[in-house]
Amino acid sequence: MIDNQIIATVLVHLFTALLQLAFWRKTVTQRILSIAGTLTGFLFAANLFTKVYTGSILTMNASNWEAPFGIVFVADMLSATMVLLTSIAALAVSIFSATGVGRARMLYGYFPIFHFLVMGLNGAFLTGDIFNLYVWFEVVIIASFVLLTLGGRKAQLEGAVKYMAMNILASTFFLTGVGLLYGITGSLNMADLALKIPEVENQSIVNLTAMFFLIGFGIKSAVFPLYFWLPSSYHTPPSAVAATFGGLLTKVGIYALFRVFTLVFTPDEFMKTLFIVMGILTILTGAFGAIIKNNIRRLFSYLIVCHIGFIIGGLGLYTKVALLGAVFYLIHDMIVKTNLFLIAGLIRQLRGTMNMEKLGGLYAHYPKISLLIAVVLFSLAGIPPLSGFWPKIYLIEAGFSANNYAFVLSVIIGSFITLYVIARLWSEVFWKNDPAEEIVTDSFKPLKPFKKMLLVLPIGILAATTLYTGLNAEIIIQVADRISTEMLDTTPYIQAVLGN
């Protein structure tokens, strides 16, 4: 079904960014425009999700050039869900940024760049052309690099160099793969590629091309052994930026892996095994890396790596149950990881540091806020019946069904280590007494009530979303089930795009 409103979620952030450029020096106006823009984007995303969920796959041909010759946007269940989750996270980050980002950074264009970044993410999720997926990736990389370096502190620049170097490498592999695909098929439309790839006589070149995409998207997703740039860079920018990175940027790489390795390439046994091995090693390296960290954001960065392994392993098992579990975990992870970095930013604003050894007594001083944060932390740890619990059940079930006990063991180890580090964080930051010597940084000032409210509100929005996901798991399972069905049977997607 053709629906031109598909690109509304892209255009709203484009126009918001352009409008903010007209108010370059007026930071209060920029804050209002940002919140209004992300709220409007959320409403468009919710409308798009509802249309796809209650109807069928939607398409839009740019300038009425029919696929596979023109640029096509496609909203199936996977892309509509990703756009909706991105819009929820962006709304929360926008509200947090209104007070959580310094005015100096706003004057250097924080809000326009933030909206260009969200625009790029939505474009990547909705494009039906693999070259345009590359273009949207570049939009995201450029915007994220500017956000990462905004402020110009030494730690930020060091993290940005590692981030940019690895993303340039990833883009090189990605673009090389795109060139090879066009060379062997003469097409870049993903639905058309799904039909032409099986007809290629030399499947060895197809497998080589698939490896280029695996390396390119693997770097962007921070899978083992390509993950080291993430913990080195995500702890350096402001918490609002880190929340956007932690919740959304690695997930666009995961989305690309899902899309390409279910629609364009069908993984053979070697590729499935490779995904599972990478998933296991990603889980273990991320989990053991988190154990030794005392800085809250560094700890959360390693947990991002750990939990990406759950999703990659589910893709490697490549069964209905495994894909359902992987998609459910992706839905849970996008919201929770965004919220974790907002929580880290709130703690920094309340206490002046994110070093767990120098923290303590938060529950005694802020009991209501602590209980709100507990919902997020316990969801992350997978305490039943919260959102992190249900997808692990499906992943473990899929692992047992495939007799892949190594993956099952890694999921269990990763889950217990996550529980341990979260329990340690709760004990150190919330339950233990205040340190004997008060630690206050030069920039630390007690929060005013209104500012505190604006910092807590987005955490509450995302916590409510997480709580809804866990307590209404049957609804999320229905969505994930439909996504996994569309992954395994790509015929409806191909028919919607090509009209065959």
PDB file of all heavy atoms in Angstrom, residues 181 184-185 190-203 206 262-266 490 494:
ATOM      1  N   LEU A 181      27.684  -5.697  -4.608  1.00  0.00           N
ATOM      2  CA  LEU A 181      26.296  -6.082  -4.862  1.00  0.00           C
ATOM      3  C   LEU A 181      25.809  -5.557  -6.206  1.00  0.00           C
ATOM      4  O   LEU A 181      25.159  -6.268  -6.980  1.00  0.00           O
ATOM      5  CB  LEU A 181      25.392  -5.546  -3.741  1.00  0.00           C
ATOM      6  CG  LEU A 181      25.063  -6.457  -2.570  1.00  0.00           C
ATOM      7  CD1 LEU A 181      24.079  -5.781  -1.622  1.00  0.00           C
ATOM      8  CD2 LEU A 181      24.483  -7.786  -3.043  1.00  0.00           C
ATOM      9  N   ILE A 184      27.328  -7.484  -9.210  1.00  0.00           N
ATOM     10  CA  ILE A 184      26.871  -8.849  -9.510  1.00  0.00           C
ATOM     11  C   ILE A 184      25.375  -8.933  -9.790  1.00  0.00           C
ATOM     12  O   ILE A 184      24.906  -9.943 -10.333  1.00  0.00           O
ATOM     13  CB  ILE A 184      27.241  -9.824  -8.374  1.00  0.00           C
ATOM     14  CG1 ILE A 184      26.584  -9.422  -7.054  1.00  0.00           C
ATOM     15  CG2 ILE A 184      28.746  -9.914  -8.225  1.00  0.00           C
ATOM     16  CD1 ILE A 184      26.889 -10.360  -5.895  1.00  0.00           C
ATOM     17  N   THR A 185      24.611  -7.891  -9.439  1.00  0.00           N
ATOM     18  CA  THR A 185      23.157  -7.954  -9.640  1.00  0.00           C
ATOM     19  C   THR A 185      22.612  -6.814 -10.488  1.00  0.00           C
ATOM     20  O   THR A 185      21.536  -6.943 -11.070  1.00  0.00           O
ATOM     21  CB  THR A 185      22.405  -7.929  -8.290  1.00  0.00           C
ATOM     22  OG1 THR A 185      22.658  -6.677  -7.632  1.00  0.00           O
ATOM     23  CG2 THR A 185      22.853  -9.072  -7.392  1.00  0.00           C
ATOM     24  N   MET A 190      16.551  -3.348  -2.129  1.00  0.00           N
ATOM     25  CA  MET A 190      16.701  -4.554  -1.304  1.00  0.00           C
ATOM     26  C   MET A 190      15.693  -5.635  -1.655  1.00  0.00           C
ATOM     27  O   MET A 190      16.012  -6.828  -1.614  1.00  0.00           O
ATOM     28  CB  MET A 190      16.627  -4.178   0.179  1.00  0.00           C
ATOM     29  CG  MET A 190      17.873  -3.460   0.668  1.00  0.00           C
ATOM     30  SD  MET A 190      17.968  -3.236   2.457  1.00  0.00           S
ATOM     31  CE  MET A 190      16.980  -1.763   2.640  1.00  0.00           C
ATOM     32  N   ALA A 191      14.480  -5.253  -2.031  1.00  0.00           N
ATOM     33  CA  ALA A 191      13.494  -6.257  -2.446  1.00  0.00           C
ATOM     34  C   ALA A 191      13.919  -6.915  -3.749  1.00  0.00           C
ATOM     35  O   ALA A 191      13.771  -8.135  -3.926  1.00  0.00           O
ATOM     36  CB  ALA A 191      12.121  -5.604  -2.584  1.00  0.00           C
ATOM     37  N   ASP A 192      14.439  -6.120  -4.671  1.00  0.00           N
ATOM     38  CA  ASP A 192      14.925  -6.661  -5.942  1.00  0.00           C
ATOM     39  C   ASP A 192      16.145  -7.540  -5.726  1.00  0.00           C
ATOM     40  O   ASP A 192      16.301  -8.588  -6.365  1.00  0.00           O
ATOM     41  CB  ASP A 192      15.252  -5.496  -6.880  1.00  0.00           C
ATOM     42  CG  ASP A 192      15.405  -5.942  -8.324  1.00  0.00           C
ATOM     43  OD1 ASP A 192      14.654  -6.843  -8.752  1.00  0.00           O
ATOM     44  OD2 ASP A 192      16.277  -5.401  -9.026  1.00  0.00           O
ATOM     45  N   LEU A 193      17.022  -7.129  -4.811  1.00  0.00           N
ATOM     46  CA  LEU A 193      18.190  -7.944  -4.489  1.00  0.00           C
ATOM     47  C   LEU A 193      17.792  -9.298  -3.916  1.00  0.00           C
ATOM     48  O   LEU A 193      18.452 -10.309  -4.174  1.00  0.00           O
ATOM     49  CB  LEU A 193      19.077  -7.201  -3.488  1.00  0.00           C
ATOM     50  CG  LEU A 193      19.871  -5.998  -4.018  1.00  0.00           C
ATOM     51  CD1 LEU A 193      20.504  -5.230  -2.869  1.00  0.00           C
ATOM     52  CD2 LEU A 193      20.946  -6.465  -5.003  1.00  0.00           C
ATOM     53  N   ALA A 194      16.721  -9.320  -3.130  1.00  0.00           N
ATOM     54  CA  ALA A 194      16.261 -10.585  -2.549  1.00  0.00           C
ATOM     55  C   ALA A 194      15.893 -11.591  -3.629  1.00  0.00           C
ATOM     56  O   ALA A 194      16.032 -12.811  -3.427  1.00  0.00           O
ATOM     57  CB  ALA A 194      15.056 -10.323  -1.640  1.00  0.00           C
ATOM     58  N   LEU A 195      15.448 -11.105  -4.794  1.00  0.00           N
ATOM     59  CA  LEU A 195      15.102 -11.995  -5.904  1.00  0.00           C
ATOM     60  C   LEU A 195      16.323 -12.355  -6.744  1.00  0.00           C
ATOM     61  O   LEU A 195      16.415 -13.471  -7.267  1.00  0.00           O
ATOM     62  CB  LEU A 195      14.047 -11.331  -6.795  1.00  0.00           C
ATOM     63  CG  LEU A 195      12.690 -11.030  -6.145  1.00  0.00           C
ATOM     64  CD1 LEU A 195      11.781 -10.321  -7.142  1.00  0.00           C
ATOM     65  CD2 LEU A 195      12.030 -12.309  -5.648  1.00  0.00           C
ATOM     66  N   LYS A 196      17.260 -11.426  -6.874  1.00  0.00           N
ATOM     67  CA  LYS A 196      18.382 -11.636  -7.797  1.00  0.00           C
ATOM     68  C   LYS A 196      19.559 -12.381  -7.168  1.00  0.00           C
ATOM     69  O   LYS A 196      20.286 -13.086  -7.875  1.00  0.00           O
ATOM     70  CB  LYS A 196      18.855 -10.283  -8.338  1.00  0.00           C
ATOM     71  CG  LYS A 196      17.852  -9.644  -9.288  1.00  0.00           C
ATOM     72  CD  LYS A 196      18.378  -8.351  -9.887  1.00  0.00           C
ATOM     73  CE  LYS A 196      17.402  -7.805 -10.934  1.00  0.00           C
ATOM     74  NZ  LYS A 196      17.890  -6.543 -11.537  1.00  0.00           N
ATOM     75  N   ILE A 197      19.772 -12.207  -5.871  1.00  0.00           N
ATOM     76  CA  ILE A 197      20.923 -12.850  -5.221  1.00  0.00           C
ATOM     77  C   ILE A 197      20.898 -14.370  -5.377  1.00  0.00           C
ATOM     78  O   ILE A 197      21.929 -14.985  -5.703  1.00  0.00           O
ATOM     79  CB  ILE A 197      20.999 -12.453  -3.736  1.00  0.00           C
ATOM     80  CG1 ILE A 197      21.531 -11.031  -3.590  1.00  0.00           C
ATOM     81  CG2 ILE A 197      21.874 -13.406  -2.934  1.00  0.00           C
ATOM     82  CD1 ILE A 197      22.971 -10.847  -4.008  1.00  0.00           C
ATOM     83  N   PRO A 198      19.754 -15.058  -5.159  1.00  0.00           N
ATOM     84  CA  PRO A 198      19.762 -16.528  -5.312  1.00  0.00           C
ATOM     85  C   PRO A 198      20.055 -16.979  -6.737  1.00  0.00           C
ATOM     86  O   PRO A 198      20.451 -18.129  -6.949  1.00  0.00           O
ATOM     87  CB  PRO A 198      18.342 -16.940  -4.881  1.00  0.00           C
ATOM     88  CG  PRO A 198      17.853 -15.806  -4.037  1.00  0.00           C
ATOM     89  CD  PRO A 198      18.452 -14.590  -4.644  1.00  0.00           C
ATOM     90  N   GLU A 199      19.872 -16.091  -7.738  1.00  0.00           N
ATOM     91  CA  GLU A 199      20.081 -16.471  -9.136  1.00  0.00           C
ATOM     92  C   GLU A 199      21.516 -16.271  -9.598  1.00  0.00           C
ATOM     93  O   GLU A 199      21.865 -16.656 -10.716  1.00  0.00           O
ATOM     94  CB  GLU A 199      19.136 -15.652 -10.031  1.00  0.00           C
ATOM     95  CG  GLU A 199      17.656 -15.902  -9.743  1.00  0.00           C
ATOM     96  CD  GLU A 199      16.755 -15.016 -10.574  1.00  0.00           C
ATOM     97  OE1 GLU A 199      17.297 -14.136 -11.297  1.00  0.00           O
ATOM     98  OE2 GLU A 199      15.525 -15.192 -10.517  1.00  0.00           O
ATOM     99  N   VAL A 200      22.350 -15.662  -8.750  1.00  0.00           N
ATOM    100  CA  VAL A 200      23.755 -15.453  -9.114  1.00  0.00           C
ATOM    101  C   VAL A 200      24.465 -16.807  -9.178  1.00  0.00           C
ATOM    102  O   VAL A 200      24.398 -17.603  -8.226  1.00  0.00           O
ATOM    103  CB  VAL A 200      24.448 -14.519  -8.102  1.00  0.00           C
ATOM    104  CG1 VAL A 200      25.934 -14.388  -8.431  1.00  0.00           C
ATOM    105  CG2 VAL A 200      23.780 -13.145  -8.106  1.00  0.00           C
ATOM    106  N   GLU A 201      25.143 -17.068 -10.287  1.00  0.00           N
ATOM    107  CA  GLU A 201      25.787 -18.361 -10.460  1.00  0.00           C
ATOM    108  C   GLU A 201      26.958 -18.551  -9.501  1.00  0.00           C
ATOM    109  O   GLU A 201      27.141 -19.613  -8.917  1.00  0.00           O
ATOM    110  CB  GLU A 201      26.272 -18.498 -11.908  1.00  0.00           C
ATOM    111  CG  GLU A 201      25.138 -18.607 -12.926  1.00  0.00           C
ATOM    112  CD  GLU A 201      25.659 -18.852 -14.322  1.00  0.00           C
ATOM    113  OE1 GLU A 201      26.899 -19.060 -14.468  1.00  0.00           O
ATOM    114  OE2 GLU A 201      24.859 -18.836 -15.257  1.00  0.00           O
ATOM    115  N   ASN A 202      27.767 -17.521  -9.343  1.00  0.00           N
ATOM    116  CA  ASN A 202      28.945 -17.603  -8.478  1.00  0.00           C
ATOM    117  C   ASN A 202      28.552 -17.190  -7.055  1.00  0.00           C
ATOM    118  O   ASN A 202      28.629 -16.015  -6.696  1.00  0.00           O
ATOM    119  CB  ASN A 202      30.058 -16.713  -9.017  1.00  0.00           C
ATOM    120  CG  ASN A 202      31.362 -16.900  -8.263  1.00  0.00           C
ATOM    121  OD1 ASN A 202      31.423 -17.604  -7.259  1.00  0.00           O
ATOM    122  ND2 ASN A 202      32.421 -16.261  -8.748  1.00  0.00           N
ATOM    123  N   GLN A 203      28.135 -18.155  -6.259  1.00  0.00           N
ATOM    124  CA  GLN A 203      27.710 -17.847  -4.893  1.00  0.00           C
ATOM    125  C   GLN A 203      28.894 -17.525  -3.979  1.00  0.00           C
ATOM    126  O   GLN A 203      28.709 -16.979  -2.897  1.00  0.00           O
ATOM    127  CB  GLN A 203      26.917 -19.017  -4.312  1.00  0.00           C
ATOM    128  CG  GLN A 203      25.496 -19.129  -4.872  1.00  0.00           C
ATOM    129  CD  GLN A 203      24.618 -17.937  -4.520  1.00  0.00           C
ATOM    130  OE1 GLN A 203      24.531 -17.563  -3.352  1.00  0.00           O
ATOM    131  NE2 GLN A 203      23.977 -17.352  -5.524  1.00  0.00           N
ATOM    132  N   VAL A 206      29.009 -13.929  -3.701  1.00  0.00           N
ATOM    133  CA  VAL A 206      27.893 -13.504  -2.840  1.00  0.00           C
ATOM    134  C   VAL A 206      28.289 -13.638  -1.376  1.00  0.00           C
ATOM    135  O   VAL A 206      28.045 -12.726  -0.563  1.00  0.00           O
ATOM    136  CB  VAL A 206      26.625 -14.333  -3.144  1.00  0.00           C
ATOM    137  CG1 VAL A 206      25.535 -14.031  -2.109  1.00  0.00           C
ATOM    138  CG2 VAL A 206      26.121 -14.045  -4.547  1.00  0.00           C
ATOM    139  N   THR A 262      18.351 -11.115   6.551  1.00  0.00           N
ATOM    140  CA  THR A 262      17.088 -11.852   6.415  1.00  0.00           C
ATOM    141  C   THR A 262      16.444 -11.596   5.058  1.00  0.00           C
ATOM    142  O   THR A 262      15.759 -12.464   4.529  1.00  0.00           O
ATOM    143  CB  THR A 262      16.087 -11.459   7.519  1.00  0.00           C
ATOM    144  OG1 THR A 262      15.823 -10.046   7.473  1.00  0.00           O
ATOM    145  CG2 THR A 262      16.609 -11.825   8.884  1.00  0.00           C
ATOM    146  N   LEU A 263      16.687 -10.405   4.495  1.00  0.00           N
ATOM    147  CA  LEU A 263      16.061 -10.045   3.221  1.00  0.00           C
ATOM    148  C   LEU A 263      16.995 -10.280   2.038  1.00  0.00           C
ATOM    149  O   LEU A 263      16.619 -10.952   1.069  1.00  0.00           O
ATOM    150  CB  LEU A 263      15.629  -8.572   3.256  1.00  0.00           C
ATOM    151  CG  LEU A 263      14.938  -8.032   1.992  1.00  0.00           C
ATOM    152  CD1 LEU A 263      13.658  -8.810   1.718  1.00  0.00           C
ATOM    153  CD2 LEU A 263      14.642  -6.539   2.143  1.00  0.00           C
ATOM    154  N   VAL A 264      18.209  -9.758   2.094  1.00  0.00           N
ATOM    155  CA  VAL A 264      19.127  -9.831   0.953  1.00  0.00           C
ATOM    156  C   VAL A 264      19.900 -11.148   0.953  1.00  0.00           C
ATOM    157  O   VAL A 264      19.940 -11.867  -0.047  1.00  0.00           O
ATOM    158  CB  VAL A 264      20.097  -8.634   0.972  1.00  0.00           C
ATOM    159  CG1 VAL A 264      21.076  -8.727  -0.202  1.00  0.00           C
ATOM    160  CG2 VAL A 264      19.325  -7.319   0.923  1.00  0.00           C
ATOM    161  N   PHE A 265      20.544 -11.473   2.070  1.00  0.00           N
ATOM    162  CA  PHE A 265      21.307 -12.716   2.193  1.00  0.00           C
ATOM    163  C   PHE A 265      20.597 -13.640   3.175  1.00  0.00           C
ATOM    164  O   PHE A 265      20.195 -13.208   4.253  1.00  0.00           O
ATOM    165  CB  PHE A 265      22.723 -12.447   2.716  1.00  0.00           C
ATOM    166  CG  PHE A 265      23.503 -11.456   1.908  1.00  0.00           C
ATOM    167  CD1 PHE A 265      23.701 -10.171   2.386  1.00  0.00           C
ATOM    168  CD2 PHE A 265      24.035 -11.806   0.673  1.00  0.00           C
ATOM    169  CE1 PHE A 265      24.433  -9.249   1.659  1.00  0.00           C
ATOM    170  CE2 PHE A 265      24.759 -10.887  -0.066  1.00  0.00           C
ATOM    171  CZ  PHE A 265      24.957  -9.603   0.419  1.00  0.00           C
ATOM    172  N   THR A 266      20.488 -14.896   2.803  1.00  0.00           N
ATOM    173  CA  THR A 266      20.008 -15.907   3.743  1.00  0.00           C
ATOM    174  C   THR A 266      21.220 -16.624   4.311  1.00  0.00           C
ATOM    175  O   THR A 266      21.963 -17.273   3.562  1.00  0.00           O
ATOM    176  CB  THR A 266      19.084 -16.925   3.051  1.00  0.00           C
ATOM    177  OG1 THR A 266      17.980 -16.236   2.482  1.00  0.00           O
ATOM    178  CG2 THR A 266      18.573 -17.950   4.067  1.00  0.00           C
ATOM    179  N   THR A 490       9.888 -13.317   3.468  1.00  0.00           N
ATOM    180  CA  THR A 490      10.047 -11.960   2.928  1.00  0.00           C
ATOM    181  C   THR A 490       9.136 -11.679   1.735  1.00  0.00           C
ATOM    182  O   THR A 490       9.187 -10.592   1.164  1.00  0.00           O
ATOM    183  CB  THR A 490      11.508 -11.735   2.505  1.00  0.00           C
ATOM    184  OG1 THR A 490      11.876 -12.724   1.525  1.00  0.00           O
ATOM    185  CG2 THR A 490      12.433 -11.847   3.702  1.00  0.00           C
ATOM    186  N   ILE A 494       8.595  -8.098  -0.461  1.00  0.00           N
ATOM    187  CA  ILE A 494       8.960  -7.999  -1.873  1.00  0.00           C
ATOM    188  C   ILE A 494       7.747  -7.596  -2.718  1.00  0.00           C
ATOM    189  O   ILE A 494       7.842  -6.728  -3.597  1.00  0.00           O
ATOM    190  CB  ILE A 494       9.542  -9.338  -2.353  1.00  0.00           C
ATOM    191  CG1 ILE A 494      10.848  -9.647  -1.607  1.00  0.00           C
ATOM    192  CG2 ILE A 494       9.776  -9.324  -3.856  1.00  0.00           C
ATOM    193  CD1 ILE A 494      11.369 -11.043  -1.839  1.00  0.00           C
TER     194      ILE A 494
END
